[in-house]
Structures are given as C-alpha cells and as structure tokens.
Amino acid sequence: MCGIVGYAGKNEVVDFLLSGLYSLEYRGYDSAGIALVCDQGALEVVKRAGSVSHLDEAIKTLGLNACTGIGHTRWATHGEPSELNAHPHVNSDNTLALVHNGIIENHYVLREELEAKGYVFKTETDTEVIAFLLDQEYKKLGSTDMPQALINTCKQLKGAYAIAVCHVDYPHEIFAARNGSPLVCAQSNQGAYLASDMIALAKYVDELIVLDNGQFAHLKSDGSVRVFDSQINSLEHQTMQVDANNVPAASGEYPDFMLKEIYEQPEIARRIVDGHFKDGHIRLDGLNISDADIKDTDRIFIVACGSSYHASLIAKSYIESVARIPVEVAVASEFNYQDVLVSEHTLCIVVTQSGETADTLSAARKIKGLGAKVFAITNVIGSTAAREADGVLYTNAGPEVSVAATKTYFAQVLAMYLLALFLADKKEKLEPQDIVNAVSSLRKLPQAIEDILKDISSYEKCAEVCEGARSALFIGRGVNYPTASEGALKLKEISYLHAESYPAGEMKHGPIALLEPGFPVIVVIPQDQTRNKTLSNIEEIMARGAQVCALATEGDEQVKESANYTMFVPAIDTDLTPLVSIVPLQIFARKVAFDRGQNVDRPRNLAKSVTVE
Ligand code: F6R
C-alpha cells in the first residue's frame, strides 16, 4: 500500500516521477505528491487529493524543473485522504522532504516527545513523525551526516517502512531505508532510481537492486547506488533482472482492466497446464521440494488473505481428496496470533498473488521461526514472498491491474490443483494413468471458459437480480462453497453492495431469516453429488419469495425452471467446477458494479498490494 518513487540524475525528474506514480497507483490512489530539489537549491512540494491525474494537472501549470525528486501515491492509514495528509511530508524549515510506505506503530509516543521539543505537527499522519525525527537527528549531527541521521531515526521507529528522503543540502542525492515494506533501486548512466515496485522502473533500467529489511541506500546523480547497513558498512547488491513480461499493458479493446483480465483466463489455463505437465508427470521445479520431504509430510498448512484464502480453501479439498494429506487453511492475520502446531513433518504454503501482503509475509516468517519450510504460491517474480520462501510456484497469470483479483485467483486455484496432483503422484496416491486422465480433463478447461466468454450478455442480464437490493447472499456446497465466498467478495468490493456467503446447508441454521420478497440469493449448483440438496435450498428460498440466481451446469433444465435467473456453465470434471463457476460470478459482479456507476478497476478504500498489517 502506497507507492514511492525517487530519482537523482542527469534528466529532468518530473516525467519519471509522474509515470512511476501512475504505474504504482494500484498500491493506493487517494492522494499523491512529489518533492523536487530545484536547481536553485530550494525544495518544491506539490500535493493533491485524489488520483495521480490530479497531481499531474497541477504540476503542468507550475512548470517546475529539477533533476532530483521523490514521489508518493497514498492509501490512507493515519489521517483522512486529503491534500494536507498527502506525502511528501516536510520539516518546518522546508529543507527536507520524505515519503513513506508502511505504518509507524509507535508514532503516538514519538509525536508526544517531538511536540515536547517544540515540533508543531500539521498533519494527522504517522509519517510526519519520521520527517521531524530525521530533522532532529540531522541537526544533532551538525547538519552534515544524512546517512547517520537516517540510521539514528530508523532505530527509533517501530513498524513497517520504506522511506525515501531528499534534502536541500544534498541537491543531487536521495536517501532511502527499508524495513518490512518493499523497495527497489537501480543504477544507470542516466541516474539512480528507486521505487516500491519494479513496474515503475521497467521502462528505464534492466536490472534492480532489491533492498532487504534493515538496509539503507544512498542514490547519487552520477547513477550510483550504495547500499549500507546500520553500521554504515557498504553491502553487496542483491540484484534482479527486470521482467518485461510482468509490466502491465494497456486495457486495449476492453473498457476496463477487469474485463481484460477475465478474458485472459483461457490463455492462462493453457499456459499453466502446458508449463507443468511433462512426460506423464506434473513438474513443479521451482518448488524446490525433495521427494523425501513430500513422503515425510503428514500435514499441510496454507495461509493466505482475501481471494487467495478462498483459493486455498479449494486447494484443501483438492489436496485432501487426491493426495490424502490433511490440510489446514488459515487467514494470515489470524494465524499470526494463533498458537500453531507445526512439526518437521508439516509443509507450509503461503498463497499471495502480490507476494507482498504484510499479514501473509508475517505468517511465513512465523512458520520459518518455528522451524518449518515455507513454500510460496505467488504471481510476482522476485516478490518478497518469493524471495523469502524455500521454494516458489509461480502462477504465471501476468500482471493484474484491476484491484479485484480475477485471473490471479483463477491461476491460484489451477496451480494448486496441479500441486495436489503433484503431491499425490509423489505420495503414490494416484496411478500414473490417473494423472494423465486428470490432465486431459484440464485440457478441456480453456475451451469451457472460452465458451462462457463467447457471449457474456446472459450473465450480465442476471445482474438485474440485484436491482434495488441492499444485500445479497451467495451459497454453495463442498468445493464450490469457496466459489460462493469469492463471488460474494467480488460483488461487495467492486459494487459496494453488502454480500456474504454461506455453505448452502447452513441456510436453515440462521441466514434463511434474512429472506424476504425480492432478496437476491446467488446459488452455485453444479451437477455434482451436492446438486439435489442444493436444489432443495433453491425451493426453500423461492418459497419465501426471495429471488434466486442459479449458477448451474448447462442442460440442467430443472434448476432453470426453479430459479428466477440462471447462469449456465459448460459441464466439466467435478474437481474443475470452481474454475468455470467463478467466471460468470466475476462478470456478474462487474456488471452490478457498472450499473451502480462504480469504477470497477479501482474500488474505493482498496489497494492491490496490502503491505500493512
Ligand atoms: C480481492 C483481493 C484481495 C486479495 C488479498 C490478498 O479481490 O484482491 O482480497 O486477495 O488482499 O492479496 P494477495 O493475494 O496479494 O496476498
């Protein structure tokens, strides 16, 4: 959450800062700002509430010139989204400007201490504390040693941060620090760069320096970056190649990224299956897990948040049914406070499309601390989860721009189906022919989704069920209960219509009391062993005058006759039904949101990469 950029070099910095901020807007878009150290040695700060485009417009009218600067796009944690609370934050002399991504947990105490020393706070943010602390530490050192001042400041901070600083005393330099929130830098003959994410730098450099927790960086306009520790020792750079395939393209022929990403799903299915099936076996080489480790595994923990959590619940069904290993799935933010029982026979998996979710990373570190190995399933190459894990399974869905997860969720479910087959193969729970059969069913998946996407109007029409509604219920059973949960999450996050999910059988234990004429219930009812029981749920809902939108298998006329609306999906192997069922639910949520006039790609209050706990 929050995106930061910085540059010190030969070129004018404003265009880079704006283009970097536009590409980081997926991290937050409630306000944005830049600070420039101008040639005359003055600090210029421009901030605006709202998206980067507002800042862009404001800057155009000012005609500022500078070759050193930092920028920020914000997702508010402390203090309302406003121009005042937007970053960069400055000291009272207006000589120092600072941008921050993260949360300073001890900011109240530090604020009181600084106020007692005469510092006057203008904003409600935790970040202003860092600016004032740094001002204090810098002056204590006779205003001569910014690297040491930054170290001394960071020693007093508790919490997560990626910080970038510029100061009029260093008109051609930027200083940075990282603890918990991501930060990459880059050297080039045009200058030195920094950003929260590779995406912001991909147009400018081929290689990145990845800062680790506890590291600092000193960027100079000659293009150099010095990485150092809290003893001022220079450190070897840990580098990573920029992956051009992981830079988002424009939405092209599609009106929004969400629809574009929904339409990418058949191709992703082909890519994932082709990439991991060789010589009759599932190959997950990046996982880096030995056959002996798998044979020894008697329990699996999967930890994730949001959509990744829903995908993990489906993975539990897969792994338990084919590999016969008990699986526990935990929400990362809860897991971090649980007394978890992990042994050397436990395999731990963290699932995170961004690879940067703070709760999930904390869980991974906790598991490691307990002595277990951690494997990451992520979409982002070189992300923190990928770098810190013992092995990685990349979902290869390509960059996802729309904030609501669609294709990355789909790719996670599919990747974890392959993981289940892989574990079953290694544990000898499936015959070689079973794997071949499972893969030939999988090969039908892209066509099934293409059939859904050929004409989405029938799914969009079902959005009518939510007209005038204040709430919606999603129900499903077995492996499709998480599908219902994911459908409800998609709907609420982009349309702002309250939605919740229940296992269909739980209706009669409470939620049925919600039903009244017109109340929308979306029922996931594929042709599987649970279909008849779920059909009884439909009857019970209809008997109470509520409206049913059923998501059923093509040809199931009985369901169609029982429901007010029906979304048909092609028949497919039962295990794969979550992968086809989710697609109409994505289309449905998008249409409800669109009809309500919402920006489907940028829902309010959300960010694509949740880097605070
Ligand atoms: C919902 C959504 C979020 C994420 C959650 C975890 O559409 O995108 O619920 O799934 O914030 O994010 P990752 O997978 O990056 O850890």
Side-chain angles (χ1 to χ4, degrees):
M1 288 171 152
C2 300
I4 69 181
V5 283
Y7 172 80
K10 294 180 188 162
N11 304 320
E12 295 218 341
V13 70
V14 173
D15 285 350
F16 161 71
L17 294 179
L18 286 172
S19 108
L21 291 180
Y22 275 120
S23 60
L24 293 178
E25 264 194 307
Y26 72 91
R27 305 177 73 88
Y29 33 79
D30 63 48
S31 56
I34 60 167
L36 308 174
V37 186
C38 295
D39 293 342
Q40 309 73 19
L43 195 65
E44 291 282 356
V45 176
V46 189
K47 312 201 276 191
R48 285 296 180 271
S51 66
V52 175
S53 59
H54 294 128
L55 177 72
D56 193 347
E57 275 165 33
I59 289 172
K60 273 197 192 106
T61 61
L62 297 173
L64 296 168
N65 287 332
C67 296
T68 305
I70 55 177
H72 188 271
T73 179
R74 180 169 187 246
W75 183 86
T77 60
H78 297 64
E80 58 165 5
S82 65
E83 186 168 318
L84 186 69
N85 288 329
H87 300 214
H89 293 287
V90 294
N91 59 354
S92 52
D93 311 340
N94 210 39
T95 50
L96 169 164
L98 179 143
V99 289
H100 165 221
N101 167 26
I103 289 182
I104 302 306
E105 290 166 5
N106 58 338
H107 75 102
Y108 282 116
V109 184
L110 294 170
R111 180 183 269 253
E112 276 174 12
E113 286 170 9
L114 287 160
E115 276 171 343
K117 290 175 187 162
Y119 281 94
V120 180
F121 284 81
K122 295 197 188 94
T123 79
E124 300 155 304
T125 66
D126 52 340
T127 303
E128 200 175 11
V129 161
I130 318 176
F132 287 177
L133 256 189
L134 184 57
D135 176 75
Q136 171 186 274
E137 295 304 321
Y138 183 60
K139 286 175 180 159
K140 264 195 213 164
L141 295 169
S143 299
T144 53
D145 193 348
M146 183 55 81
Q148 189 60 53
L150 186 58
I151 291 168
N152 295 351
T153 299
C154 290
K155 278 186 185 151
Q156 299 172 63
L157 303 177
K158 292 202 172 83
Y161 51 83
I163 297 169
V165 186
C166 55
H167 196 292
V168 295
D169 290 350
Y170 299 83
H172 308 293
E173 290 157 64
I174 294 177
F175 300 88
R178 181 204 167 165
N179 184 47
S181 306
L183 195 59
V184 292
C185 303
Q187 316 188 91
S188 82
N189 56 14
Q190 295 302 304
Y193 298 84
L194 70 78
S196 297
D197 185 331
M198 172 273 287
I199 287 172
L201 304 186
K203 274 198 274 177
Y204 304 89
V205 293
D206 299 327
E207 192 179 73
L208 301 173
I209 297 168
V210 184
L211 284 199
D212 265 336
N213 288 334
Q215 293 186 343
F216 300 83
H218 185 174
L219 287 70
K220 287 191 178 167
S221 61
D222 63 4
S224 66
V225 176
R226 185 171 82 90
V227 179
F228 57 99
D229 64 13
S230 59
Q231 309 299 317
I232 312 257
N233 298 316
S234 293
L235 301 170
E236 284 292 308
H237 297 155
Q238 191 192 334
T239 57
M240 190 180 101
Q241 291 307 305
V242 170
D243 179 3
N245 295 327
N246 259 324
V247 179
S251 64
E253 65 191 273
Y254 297 96
D256 48 74
F257 279 99
M258 184 173 184
L259 195 62
K260 173 176 184 270
E261 287 158 3
I262 290 171
Y263 270 85
E264 284 174 34
Q265 293 173 120
E267 203 40 53
I268 292 168
R270 283 193 188 93
R271 195 186 310 149
I272 293 180
V273 177
D274 291 348
H276 292 293
F277 183 64
K278 281 192 194 84
D279 309 326
H281 294 279
I282 305 295
R283 302 283 300 269
L284 304 179
D285 298 342
L287 259 191
N288 195 22
I289 180 168
S290 70
D291 292 1
D293 276 348
I294 295 173
K295 289 224 161 76
D296 269 2
T297 298
D298 63 7
R299 202 152 68 103
I300 295 180
F301 253 118
I302 311 184
V303 191
C305 302
S307 295
S308 300
Y309 172 73
H310 297 149
S312 304
L313 291 174
I314 296 172
K316 171 183 164 74
S317 296
Y318 289 158
I319 295 170
E320 290 185 341
S321 67
V322 301
R324 315 301 297 163
I325 308 171
V327 179
E328 218 170 298
V329 184
V331 169
S333 53
E334 292 295 318
F335 180 86
N336 290 330
Y337 300 97
Q338 282 165 13
D339 190 3
V340 278
L341 302 175
V342 170
S343 78
E344 67 270 31
H345 302 301
T346 313
L347 195 147
C348 294
I349 302 171
V350 292
V351 183
T352 162
Q353 63 81 18
S354 63
E356 300 295 348
T357 300
D359 289 318
T360 308
L361 294 177
S362 294
R365 290 169 193 146
K366 172 172 171 170
I367 301 164
K368 277 203 144 185
L370 293 169
K373 284 196 177 156
V374 177
F375 301 91
I377 298 184
T378 183
N379 197 44
V380 179
I381 295 170
S383 57
T384 306
R387 284 186 293 112
E388 292 188 5
D390 296 290
V392 191
L393 171 53
Y394 284 114
T395 48
N396 286 332
E400 189 172 63
V401 175
S402 194
V403 164
T406 54
K407 64 174 182 169
T408 54
Y409 167 84
F410 174 86
Q412 287 171 345
V413 175
L414 183 48
M416 288 194 276
Y417 183 60
L418 295 184
L419 174 67
L421 295 176
F422 172 79
L423 294 171
D425 191 9
K426 300 284 179 194
K427 283 249 184 206
E428 294 169 13
K429 298 289 180 194
L430 287 180
E431 297 296 327
Q433 190 55 42
D434 296 329
I435 307 272
V436 172
N437 293 345
V439 171
S440 57
S441 295
L442 270 175
R443 294 213 189 275
K444 297 184 184 136
L445 183 61
Q447 185 60 54
I449 299 165
E450 271 160 5
D451 289 346
I452 292 173
L453 295 175
K454 229 176 258 158
D455 178 6
I456 61 171
S457 58
S458 66
Y459 307 116
E460 291 192 321
K461 172 134 184 67
C462 293
E464 282 173 17
V465 77
C466 289
E467 268 173 23
R470 289 192 312 160
S471 185
L473 203 55
F474 284 67
I475 60 172
R477 288 178 188 253
V479 77
N480 278 298
Y481 164 53
T483 306
S485 302
E486 178 60 10
L489 178 59
K490 286 296 85 96
L491 184 66
K492 77 182 127 197
E493 70 182 325
I494 61 171
S495 75
Y496 317 145
L497 176 64
H498 170 254
E500 62 179 314
S501 62
Y502 262 89
E506 279 287 292
M507 280 291 285
K508 54 191 173 294
H509 298 292
I512 201 163
L514 290 169
L515 300 186
E516 56 186 6
F519 188 100
V521 186
I522 293 81
V523 183
V524 186
I525 176 170
Q527 276 284 7
D528 65 12
Q529 56 178 15
T530 67
R531 181 248 180 211
N532 291 348
K533 290 268 189 296
T534 311
L535 186 55
S536 303
N537 292 121
I538 293 184
E539 300 297 346
E540 290 156 12
I541 297 162
M542 295 294 287
R544 284 158 181 85
Q547 296 195 80
V548 168
C549 173
L551 174 50
T553 307
E554 219 150 59
D556 196 338
E557 292 303 316
Q558 198 184 1
V559 168
K560 185 174 178 193
E561 277 158 28
S562 308
N564 303 85
Y565 296 89
T566 310
M567 303 194 250
F568 276 131
V569 290
I572 197 142
D573 186 284
T574 305
D575 279 344
L576 306 183
T577 55
L579 287 157
V580 291
S581 301
I582 192 57
V583 181
L585 294 181
Q586 296 165 345
I587 295 165
F588 174 83
R590 177 183 171 276
K591 182 67 167 66
V592 175
F594 184 80
D595 289 347
R596 291 178 167 235
Q598 312 304 357
N599 178 338
V600 298
D601 283 340
R602 282 198 196 163
R604 69 184 178 206
N605 303 336
L606 293 176
K608 185 92 197 138
S609 187
V610 186
T611 56
V612 293
E613 281 185 55

